[in-house]
């Protein structure tokens, strides 16, 4: 059963009596124990959708349901016990220690004075442990890296003890290692701690690898949802960007740039990894792989590496990829 769902939701902006819809008639859902990634181009409406789902922005039509109850009928106190939010903004609480900031996640239970009892303190310690930031508990936020700060904000959301966590671009500003660690953490929290996690992301390859389901906002502002692999296999990933120069490579599970290649070659090799990287070098230099090409490249050995190039009964050998490209230029 879905813990979070939308019913005929239309999101956008209202100015006076004029509505400007961005995304319309959305019927989406998130189940507990699932990681759902919201994907789409920059400025397409991801943040607007998340703000509307969480109640921070009024919908133009429809509503969001939490456990079947419209979100606008849930009190703020009760909502704070159901839903926690991690925004993309850099944290500006540098004067607080990690433990102090994570402890703020207990406010829905402690009230205005924020006095923690032994149970609250135990939950805070566990949240820091789950987020992998316990070793920085006494450090000030100003002393942390961006990746560490993001872990702190996730720990704060965990300390809030909500079944739903929504994150807007949680890997923004992070380096490659921190992005991967953050996505792995969120995947683990969904699967091992039965959290319903919805996040928006530009990190498409990581989302495809780790998300159970995708919400894809297409370049013409339609929203497709479903199992990650099902959507990939139906070609839905190619609808994210309007540019014909970007496409989703099903065999690699990532987006690639379509380079204009005036030449073609037929590449023959039993080594899939080597073939992938040689094809990369060839495409960058204007050669696409085509089995019907009259120019054959055969990899005859991998150590030492040898390439045999044959075209119109002319045979050339090369021992490096640079030599291969140079040799192709002489017979193309």
């Amino acid at each position: 059963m879905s813990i979070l769902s939308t019913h005929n939701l239309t999101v956008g902006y209202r100015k006076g009596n004029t509505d400007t819809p961005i995304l319309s008639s959305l019927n989406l859902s998130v189940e507990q124990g699932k990681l759902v990634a919201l994907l789409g181009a920059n400025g397409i409406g991801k943040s607007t959708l998340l703000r509307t789902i969480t109640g921070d922005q009024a919908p133009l039509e429809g509503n969001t349901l939490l456990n079947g109850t419209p979100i606008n009928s849930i009190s703020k106190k009760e909502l704070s016990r159901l839903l926690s939010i991690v925004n993309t903004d850099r944290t500006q609480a540098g004067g607080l220690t990690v433990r102090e900031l994570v402890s703020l996640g207990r406010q829905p239970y402690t009230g205005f004075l924020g006095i923690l009892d032994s149970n609250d303190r135990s939950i805070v310690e566990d949240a820091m442990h789950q987020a992998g930031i316990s070793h920085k508990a006494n450090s000030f936020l100003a002393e942390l890296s961006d990746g560490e700060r993001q872990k702190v904000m996730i720990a704060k959301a965990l300390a809030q003890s909500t079944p739903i966590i929504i994150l807007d671009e949680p890997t923004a500003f992070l380096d490659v290692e921190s992005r991967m660690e953050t996505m792995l953490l969120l995947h683990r929290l969904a699967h091992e701690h039965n959290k319903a996690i919805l996040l928006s992301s530009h990190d498409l390859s990581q989302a495809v690898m780790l998300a159970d389901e995708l919400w894809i906002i297409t370049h013409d502002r339609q929203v497709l949802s479903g199992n990650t692999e099902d959507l990939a296999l139906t070609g839905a990933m190619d609808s994210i960007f309007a540019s014909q120069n970007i496409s989703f490579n099903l065999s690699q599970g990532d987006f690639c740039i379509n380079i204009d290649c005036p030449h073609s070659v037929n590449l023959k090799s039993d080594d899939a990894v080597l073939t992938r990287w040689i094809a990369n070098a060839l495409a960058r230099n204007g050669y696409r792989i085509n089995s019907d090409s009259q120019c054959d490249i055969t990899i005859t050995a991998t150590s030492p590496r040898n390439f045999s190039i044959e075209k119109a009964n002319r045979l050339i050998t090369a021992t490096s990829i640079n030599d291969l490209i140079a040799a192709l230029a002489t017979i193309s």
Side-chain angles (χ1 to χ4, degrees):
M1 179 180 175
S2 301
I3 188 172
L4 182 155
S5 61
T6 67
H7 178 68
N8 293 333
L9 185 70
T10 295
V11 307
Y13 297 93
R14 177 171 290 143
K15 186 175 182 180
N17 295 322
T18 302
D19 288 349
T20 304
I22 295 177
L23 304 169
S24 302
S25 303
L26 305 180
N27 293 287
L28 304 164
S29 63
V30 182
E31 298 178 6
Q32 281 192 257
K34 294 289 183 69
L35 173 62
V36 178
L38 171 61
L39 307 180
N42 221 14
I44 202 71
K46 297 189 300 297
S47 294
T48 302
L49 176 56
L50 292 186
R51 285 196 302 269
T52 307
I53 285 175
T54 59
D56 284 343
Q57 182 170 322
L60 299 185
E61 292 181 16
N63 51 36
T64 300
L65 307 175
L66 299 183
N67 288 323
T69 302
I71 195 171
N72 56 9
S73 67
I74 302 174
S75 69
K76 288 187 176 180
K77 182 176 181 180
E78 182 60 23
L79 184 60
S80 67
R81 296 184 177 190
L82 289 172
L83 175 67
S84 53
I85 303 169
V86 179
N87 290 314
T88 189
D89 301 329
R90 278 191 170 98
T91 307
Q92 301 299 321
L96 295 178
T97 66
V98 168
R99 182 177 282 107
E100 288 169 341
L101 183 59
V102 175
S103 296
L104 294 177
R106 298 303 300 162
Q107 281 189 335
Y109 310 91
T110 61
F112 179 75
L113 295 178
I115 298 174
L116 305 183
D117 61 20
S118 59
N119 181 60
D120 292 318
R121 287 191 290 272
S122 176
I123 291 173
V124 168
E125 295 301 319
D126 184 63
M128 290 190 294
H129 172 72
Q130 294 299 333
I133 201 66
S134 294
H135 62 294
K136 295 286 187 177
N138 297 315
S139 300
F140 289 102
L141 266 291
E143 300 171 340
L144 305 185
S145 68
D146 286 337
E148 289 169 336
R149 288 188 184 204
Q150 192 62 285
K151 288 182 180 179
V152 174
M153 299 312 297
I154 292 172
K156 177 176 175 287
L158 288 174
Q160 203 170 325
S161 299
T162 61
I164 308 167
I165 302 176
I166 295 182
L167 308 96
D168 189 8
E169 295 289 351
T171 58
F173 313 120
L174 303 185
D175 60 24
V176 173
E177 181 179 16
S178 296
R179 289 202 303 270
M180 291 182 175
E181 286 184 349
T182 299
M183 288 297 293
L184 283 169
L185 168 61
L186 295 173
H187 176 269
R188 180 169 56 81
L189 293 174
H191 284 243
E192 297 179 12
H193 297 269
N194 204 35
K195 300 286 186 180
I197 298 181
L198 170 62
L199 63 91
S200 64
S201 180
H202 287 300
D203 214 342
L204 303 179
S205 60
Q206 293 296 316
V208 168
M209 184 180 298
L210 293 173
D212 300 294
E213 296 183 2
L214 301 177
W215 294 359
I216 294 175
I217 305 179
T218 68
H219 62 82
D220 57 355
R221 297 185 187 277
Q222 303 300 307
V223 180
L224 310 175
S225 65
N227 172 272
T228 297
E229 289 71 28
D230 286 340
L231 287 175
L233 290 169
T234 59
M237 303 299 291
D238 282 322
S239 66
I240 293 178
F241 302 110
S243 173
Q244 298 300 309
N245 295 322
I246 302 173
S247 63
F248 187 74
N249 188 313
L250 270 176
S251 63
Q252 297 176 21
D254 203 353
F255 286 84
C256 62
I257 299 171
N258 300 321
I259 302 173
D260 183 24
C261 297
H263 311 291
S264 67
V265 294
N266 180 22
L267 183 60
K268 302 176 182 180
S269 172
D270 294 330
D271 188 326
V273 173
L274 188 57
T275 298
R276 184 255 183 270
W277 287 106
I278 292 174
N280 189 78
L282 290 169
R284 192 171 63 248
N285 287 276
Y287 296 89
R288 59 186 172 86
I289 307 302
N290 182 354
S291 59
D292 294 328
S293 174
Q294 298 303 306
C295 181
D296 292 332
I297 298 177
T298 303
I299 304 171
T300 56
T302 57
S303 181
R305 195 167 295 139
N306 294 296
F307 307 100
S308 296
I309 310 168
E310 184 175 359
K311 182 179 182 181
N313 296 320
R314 183 179 177 188
L315 182 66
I316 299 178
T317 60
T319 57
S320 72
I321 294 177
N322 282 340
D323 289 344
L324 169 66
I325 301 300
L328 279 171
T330 67
I331 65 174
S332 298

